[in-house]
Amino acid sequence: MAAQKINEALEHIAKAEKYLKTGFLKWKPDYDSAATEYGKAAVAFKNAKQFDQAREACLREAEAHENNKAAYEQAGMMLKEMQRLPEAVQLIEKASMMYLENGTPDTAAIALERAGKLIENVSPEKAVQLYQQAASVFENEERLRQALEMLGKASRLLVRGRRLDEAALSLQKEKSIYKEIENYPTCYKKTIAQVLVHLHRNDYVAAERCVRESYSIPGFNGSEDCAALEQLLEGYDQQDQDQVSEVCNSPLFKYMDNDYAKLGLTLVVPGGGIKKKSPNAAQDKARGPAAVGSHADEEEDEYSGGLC
């Protein structure tokens, strides 16, 4: 079966080369017919799992079609089958640029997203760049929901890679667009993610400012998200690890996207210590002011007769 497909592909290559030849009665090559034959050869090579030859046929098809963008993308997918992912991404990027130049930005953005998925596990840094480019194209086309999907992928990869300064900026971009489309509940969740990122950056001031600025978002003040963040910041500021852990282990935090939930579960107060209240203080608080006064009187009576 494979040998038959390879022979079929070679026949199409031979026909394509014949279409490209010129002679006494044929003054210029027949590029369209050649491109068609190269395309058929690529399919046959792919079916025979001869991916390198399929890629080459796709590239020849692209050249014959005067830089056919779809053929470049197909060549990239052949390289994917060969696990030559960086080269595959280069070709898909080239196709994306051609889609843009040809006035089909949606197709360009989809190609960039496809390239990002291909390279995500091999080079997260490159995937972030591709997702951000796709988001920019979608945003220019006012397809904001698609842009948000791409930005979300970029933000999560940045957090996963501990590129927290960039993650903070990416999350702010997300939140701004969610606010623009009036998806306020998601703005609250992005605020939680922002605060966790800032605290992992050891930037309490930025985290506090983030919450303060979110008061302008309709419904945030008085929401459970706002109350939890205020409690989190209070615990962090007072170096109370118990309080911080209690907030970060609440369902509100634990059921966020996995990358942000992990930030919560690994958050440690400054110094890494646990500032606990003394047992006497805890008991006094439970018994009320009268107990505090009684405790003070006992200490005074103990030494009322002097040291002897």
Side-chain angles (χ1 to χ4, degrees), residues 253-269:
F253 281 64
K254 284 176 70 175
Y255 297 131
M256 296 179 69
D257 284 326
N258 198 40
D259 293 296
Y260 304 126
K262 284 181 179 178
L263 287 182
L265 294 173
T266 56
L267 184 60
V268 178
V269 299

Side-chain angles (χ1 to χ4, degrees), residues 168 172 191 194-195 197-199 201-213 233:
Q172 181 59 44
T191 302
Q194 280 183 297
V195 168
V197 166
H198 285 312
L199 293 180
R201 293 173 59 241
N202 299 314
D203 193 342
Y204 176 84
V205 173
E208 187 180 38
R209 183 173 62 247
C210 180
V211 173
R212 191 167 61 247
E213 289 174 351
L233 290 175

Side-chain angles (χ1 to χ4, degrees), residues 93-108:
E93 276 190 285
K94 183 171 183 176
S96 173
M97 292 302 297
M98 292 163 64
Y99 285 130
L100 281 174
E101 291 168 1
N102 196 51
T104 52
D106 287 356
T107 310

